[in-house]
Amino acid sequence: MGQVIVTFTLTNRIDQLLAQRGFISSGEVRSCILDNVLVDTSATLLCLPASIISQLGLVQGGEAQIETAAGVQQGRILRDVELSIAERQGTFDCLELTEVPYALLGVTPMEVLGLEPDLKNRKLRVLPMNSEQTYLSVL
């Protein structure tokens, strides 16, 4: 089995709303492209290093106890980051990573966006969403 490595775009959703309403210019919307992001099925949320959180100007929404390889630690939860990947996008909370300088794509954003890791082919599989089938259900 192999690792799945992806590239995606992150945008400060609050900046986007301010630009849509004319309070700031579209050029002032903070965003970045992250390459070489590990898809981590043991991570729950989108996990970002402090440097990316600072660059995007994300707002802290709270703190939580986080289970890490080093044990349970206190972690910051940040709000309103838009994740764009594989022609899908959504707004998510994220967890600040303090131990490592790289990002992780966890299970929750993948499920919400209809993505699943294909370890054999080392890529993300985009689940169907068309007039005949959809990954979303209310059953």
Side-chain angles (χ1 to χ4, degrees), residues 9-14 46 48 56 58 78-83 90-94:
T9 301
L10 298 173
T11 305
N12 181 315
R13 183 69 182 129
I14 295 171
L46 173 63
L48 300 174
L56 292 171
L58 300 179
L78 293 300
R79 302 271 188 234
D80 298 318
V81 63
E82 183 172 282
L83 169 65
T91 302
F92 299 96
D93 290 346
C94 68

Side-chain angles (χ1 to χ4, degrees), residues 34-54:
L34 295 184
D35 296 311
N36 301 313
V37 177
L38 178 65
V39 171
D40 187 348
T41 56
S42 66
T44 305
L45 301 175
L46 173 63
C47 303
L48 300 174
S51 61
I52 298 299
I53 289 168
S54 178

Side-chain angles (χ1 to χ4, degrees), residues 68-80:
T68 71
V72 176
Q73 300 176 354
Q74 190 75 5
R76 292 190 326 144
I77 305 291
L78 293 300
R79 302 271 188 234
D80 298 318

Side-chain angles (χ1 to χ4, degrees), residues 2-6 39 116-126:
Q3 294 180 332
V4 176
I5 305 295
V6 296
V39 171
E116 66 181 27
D118 177 351
L119 297 176
K120 181 180 176 186
N121 295 307
R122 304 178 97 181
K123 64 180 188 172
L124 278 182
R125 182 180 13 245
V126 179

